[in-house]
Amino acid sequence: MASALNDIFDWIDAHWQEEGIEVLRRYCSQPGISAQGVGMAESARLTEEILAAAGFDSRVLSVEGGFPAVFGELRGDAPYVLLFYNCLLYTSPSPRD
């Protein structure tokens, strides 16, 4: 087990500085103002693109009366299922007091 974890840590060390930072840069540069409906569809598409590039079977789901959701699935050989849920909360811009 320790060897498998070391392999994972080695992969992270080898890829984080370029690939991981680039993903974060893309997310941070994507505007999103939920109160105004700005950038929400674009944020969903960006998330779907990033998941697809990582090998996930991913798609953007339309939500009636709401903003889109993104579903991604990556099947493995293990008999276990890992569910990850994330909600990005965008806030409206407001003047600083």
Side-chain angles (χ1 to χ4, degrees), residues 67-82:
F67 299 120
V70 179
F71 176 82
E73 180 178 29
L74 182 63
R75 292 197 175 263
D77 296 329
Y80 305 101
V81 173
L82 173 65

Side-chain angles (χ1 to χ4, degrees), residues 40-83:
M40 305 311 288
E42 294 84 357
S43 294
R45 282 194 300 274
L46 175 60
T47 300
E48 191 278 329
E49 288 173 14
I50 290 169
L51 288 173
F56 284 75
D57 177 18
S58 58
R59 60 190 173 276
V60 176
L61 305 172
S62 296
V63 177
E64 187 175 331
F67 299 120
V70 179
F71 176 82
E73 180 178 29
L74 182 63
R75 292 197 175 263
D77 296 329
Y80 305 101
V81 173
L82 173 65
L83 173 66

Side-chain angles (χ1 to χ4, degrees), residues 8-56:
I8 292 169
F9 293 140
D10 290 344
W11 188 92
I12 291 170
D13 290 341
H15 295 87
W16 175 249
Q17 287 298 326
E18 293 182 21
E19 295 171 31
I21 297 297
E22 175 60 21
V23 169
L24 288 175
R25 186 198 65 73
R26 290 178 66 195
Y27 267 126
C28 290
S29 66
Q30 172 57 54
I33 308 169
S34 61
Q36 298 173 359
V38 173
M40 305 311 288
E42 294 84 357
S43 294
R45 282 194 300 274
L46 175 60
T47 300
E48 191 278 329
E49 288 173 14
I50 290 169
L51 288 173
F56 284 75

